[in-house]
Amino acid sequence: IDFGDLDAQHFRNCGACSSSTRGLFFGGGHPSYYDTIEYVEINTLGNALDFGDQVTTSAVKSSFSSSTRGFSFGGFPSYSPKISVVTIASTGDATTFGELSSAGLAYAGCANNVRGIFAGGYTAGEQEMKTINYITMASEGNAQYFGDLTVGRNYPGGMATQTRAVFCSGTDGTPSTTNLIDYVNIASASNAVDFGDVMEATQRQKGTTDSHGGLGGF
């Protein structure tokens, strides 16, 4: 069923996250790029409303949330390492939480209610990154090293329960898309382990679960 519309400028390459009541959309656009944040009340049909602005102007954003805060990071064409953070229950401009370990785009992003995880992505000089970084979402600071994916890739999809973060597909630089699925245990920093395969090799996937960072869950 039709829910409503985003602003037309966000037709491409935006990021998104949610709490249990609000959904947020970050940036987007092509060939012009935007710093805007829009939101919807999930239980109410209607068009998205203006929330505020991000720290950077870009598309190909990645994002995740805790139960109270929304985060967006990376993006094209700015390649900024800055991580933007907002309080989901209120409206207003984002502030800088910290910085990624690299300035890039096309990361997988997901979270439980404590840690946010960044995996893979693209940065100049290293097109298919293996690195997994994390932040503790209740505090502020730069991302910390968590471990590595089994294979470096950009445009992977990310999703999480309260215990595991799962990363699927992407471009692995051969140059081919991959059907790999990796996972890590969020509470302990370590390299990713093979989970299985998606049905078709692809990239630019997105993922969600019934227990992501905004929901508390299982």
Side-chain angles (χ1 to χ4, degrees), residues 4-218:
D5 295 324
L6 286 170
D7 189 83
Q9 66 195 24
H10 294 98
F11 74 97
R12 186 176 179 185
N13 294 325
C14 64
C17 69
S18 77
S19 67
S20 58
T21 57
R22 278 185 169 181
L24 271 59
F25 306 92
F26 300 101
H30 180 76
S32 297
Y33 302 96
Y34 302 91
D35 64 358
T36 49
I37 307 168
E38 298 182 9
Y39 76 98
V40 294
E41 301 290 344
I42 296 172
N43 286 335
T44 306
L45 301 182
N47 294 336
L49 301 174
D50 180 62
F51 186 98
D53 294 331
Q54 297 176 98
V55 173
T56 60
T57 300
S58 55
V60 201
K61 282 285 186 183
S62 301
S63 50
F64 51 66
S65 61
S66 70
S67 58
T68 57
R69 287 175 140 186
F71 301 82
S72 64
F73 43 92
F76 180 85
S78 64
Y79 287 87
S80 172
K82 294 184 182 296
I83 305 168
S84 294
V85 59
V86 296
T87 300
I88 298 174
S90 60
T91 57
D93 292 344
T95 58
T96 299
F97 180 94
E99 294 190 354
L100 297 163
S101 61
S102 59
L105 57 90
Y107 305 90
C110 58
N112 65 6
N113 58 2
V114 177
R115 282 182 167 179
I117 306 291
F118 317 83
Y122 171 95
T123 191
E126 188 179 357
Q127 293 190 10
E128 291 81 29
M129 292 190 288
K130 292 183 71 174
T131 305
I132 307 169
N133 286 173
Y134 76 95
I135 58 171
T136 301
M137 293 182 289
S139 60
E140 294 184 356
N142 295 335
Q144 303 296 311
Y145 177 70
F146 187 98
D148 290 331
L149 295 169
T150 58
V151 174
R153 52 199 191 268
N154 58 44
Y155 293 106
M159 65 211 83
T161 67
Q162 287 303 306
T163 57
R164 282 184 170 181
V166 180
F167 314 108
C168 63
S169 300
T171 303
D172 63 10
T174 50
S176 298
T177 55
T178 178
N179 63 353
L180 289 174
I181 308 171
D182 291 352
Y183 80 93
V184 296
N185 291 315
I186 298 174
S188 57
S190 62
N191 293 334
V193 178
D194 181 61
F195 184 98
D197 296 328
V198 295
M199 295 178 65
E200 182 177 347
T202 187
Q203 62 169 319
R204 297 178 185 255
Q205 283 198 327
K206 301 296 182 183
T208 190
T209 69
D210 60 2
S211 54
H212 67 77
L215 297 178
F218 305 100

